[in-house]
Amino acid sequence: MKNLLNRFAKDESGATAIEYGLIAGLIAVAIITAITKVGTQLQYKFNEVSGNLT
């Protein structure tokens, strides 16, 4: 039983999966932030063009 606990304590595969999950989450947050900023600027530009057409 002690040997099993020692192997479990030394196993780092779960930590690697968690790290990859955190990296994927951070990338997703960066993408969402960039898309939101571009979308806001694009909406402003469309409103400006629409206002100039009328």
Side-chain angles (χ1 to χ4, degrees), residues 1 4 6 9 19 21 38 44-45 51 54:
M1 184 69 175
L4 179 64
N6 284 336
E19 290 168 356
V38 169
Y44 173 76
K45 191 55 88 173
T54 55

Side-chain angles (χ1 to χ4, degrees), residues 10-54:
K10 291 179 182 178
D11 186 16
E12 295 184 4
S13 61
T16 302
I18 291 171
E19 290 168 356
Y20 284 134
L22 289 173
I23 290 170
L26 289 174
I27 290 172
V29 168
I31 289 171
I32 290 169
T33 303
I35 288 174
T36 302
K37 186 172 183 178
V38 169
T40 303
Q41 292 174 351
L42 189 59
Q43 182 180 9
Y44 173 76
K45 191 55 88 173
F46 276 129
N47 288 337
E48 182 182 356
V49 169
S50 175
N52 289 335
L53 289 175
T54 55

